[in-house]
Amino acid sequence: MQKLTLKHYAGAGFPAVAIATSDEDRAISNVVSSFPDREVLRIASIGGLMNAKNGTPLDKQAQYPAAFARAQQVKTVLCVLDYQHSVKNAAMYRLLRDSLPAIKAIKSFVVLIAPSWRLPAEIEHDVPVIQDPLPSREELEKALEICTSSTDTKLTVSERDALLDAGSGFTLAEFENSAALAYAASTSDGYDCAIVTDQKIKLVRQSGLAEIMQPASADELGGLGELTRAIDYEI
C-alpha cells in the first residue's frame, strides 16, 4: 500500500489533519516542502501569525481564532502548534469544528502538530491523526554531515556507521544535540559514540517505559561460571 502523505490528504479535500510527533521543527519543514507553491503559515499558543517559510511575521497579535479565520478567507496551509492543550476546552474545539466547512470550501489545509493527540469525540472523526515516523538513516546522515562540516571533522566509515547506529530512534533534534555533545565532550579530535548511546539510555529511562543498561563484561557476571567459560570457548 502506498504511504499517504500530507499532499494526499490535502488533495482529497481533508480540511485538517493532526500530526503526532516530538520533532516539531522537522514536521513544519516537511509541511513547507510538501507545499512549495502554497502559502504556509504558523500559529502557536503565544500568538503571532507568521510565514512558516521565511519566519516573516504577518500579525504579531494574532491568536488561534484569527488564524482559523484567515484559513477560511485565503487558500493557505496553516501549521497550528500547542493546540493539544486548547482542544480540550469546549470553546476551542468548537472553534476548530465550526471552521472546518469553510476551510474545506476554500481548499485551505490545517495541520495540527503536537507530540501526541487525544481529540474530543466531537472532532475525532473530522481530523485524522497521523503518526509521524522517526527520521530515516538517510535523514540522520544528513544531520551528521552538517555537524561534521561545522566542526571540520573527518569520520571513518566505521565511526560514521557507529554514530548513526547509536542515533537510531532519536528525533533529528535529539540526534543533533547528542552528536554536538559527543564532539564537545570527546577527549580526542572527534565524536565519542558512547556519549550518543548514553544520551539515548537517559531518554528511554526518562520516559519510564523501559530500563536500558550498558552491556556488562563476562567478568562481571556472577554465578554463571560454566556459561561464561562456554561462551569464551565458543568465541
Side-chain angles (χ1 to χ4, degrees):
M1 183 177 68
Q2 183 181 6
K3 178 184 176 181
L4 296 178
T5 65
L6 292 175
K7 292 191 70 174
H8 289 137
Y9 283 99
F14 281 74
V17 299
I19 297 179
T21 178
S22 297
D23 211 337
E24 182 181 283
D25 292 339
R26 175 171 171 256
I28 295 174
S29 179
N30 287 340
V31 174
V32 169
S33 62
S34 296
F35 301 96
D37 301 324
R38 294 275 295 274
E39 175 184 74
V40 182
L41 304 180
R42 174 190 181 279
I43 185 76
S45 57
I46 59 174
L49 188 63
M50 67 172 59
N51 186 316
K53 293 184 176 181
N54 57 28
T56 303
L58 273 70
D59 184 346
K60 294 182 179 180
Q61 304 303 317
Q63 302 290 329
Y64 291 131
F68 288 137
R70 182 181 177 88
Q72 297 174 64
Q73 299 162 2
V74 180
K75 185 178 179 181
T76 188
V77 177
L78 178 64
C79 295
V80 182
L81 310 179
D82 309 324
Y83 208 69
Q84 74 273 22
H85 305 294
S86 299
V87 78
K88 299 173 184 177
N89 179 283
M92 296 307 287
Y93 74 64
R94 175 53 57 187
L95 168 68
L96 174 60
R97 178 67 185 82
D98 289 348
S99 299
L100 294 179
I103 289 172
K104 181 181 179 70
I106 201 173
K107 296 184 179 180
S108 284
F109 189 51
V110 173
V111 183
L112 309 173
I113 300 172
S116 62
W117 287 101
R118 182 172 292 179
L119 296 172
E122 289 81 356
I123 61 172
E124 65 178 354
H125 298 293
D126 299 301
V127 183
V129 177
I130 303 171
Q131 298 295 328
D132 191 35
L134 288 166
S136 65
R137 192 175 182 87
E138 290 73 21
E139 289 179 288
L140 293 178
E141 189 165 13
K142 289 180 181 177
L144 182 57
E145 286 176 0
I146 294 174
C147 291
T148 56
S149 295
S150 64
T151 57
D152 194 25
T153 304
K154 302 296 182 183
L155 298 176
T156 65
V157 173
S158 60
E159 289 172 336
R160 182 178 298 274
D161 286 344
L163 285 167
L164 293 175
D165 289 342
S168 177
F170 274 137
T171 66
L172 276 183
E174 288 168 345
F175 180 61
E176 289 169 358
N177 290 337
S178 296
L181 187 61
Y183 178 80
S186 176
T187 56
S188 62
D189 188 19
Y191 289 76
D192 188 343
C193 185
I195 291 178
V196 178
T197 300
D198 186 59
Q199 289 302 299
K200 182 189 291 186
I201 291 174
K202 289 179 180 178
L203 286 171
V204 173
R205 184 180 295 132
Q206 182 178 317
S207 72
L209 299 176
E211 177 73 17
I212 298 178
M213 300 177 66
Q214 292 283 10
S217 69
D219 294 337
E220 297 177 73
L221 299 177
L224 300 174
E226 293 299 324
L227 175 60
T228 55
R229 279 192 288 274
I231 293 174
D232 287 340
Y233 176 77
E234 291 296 330
I235 294 175

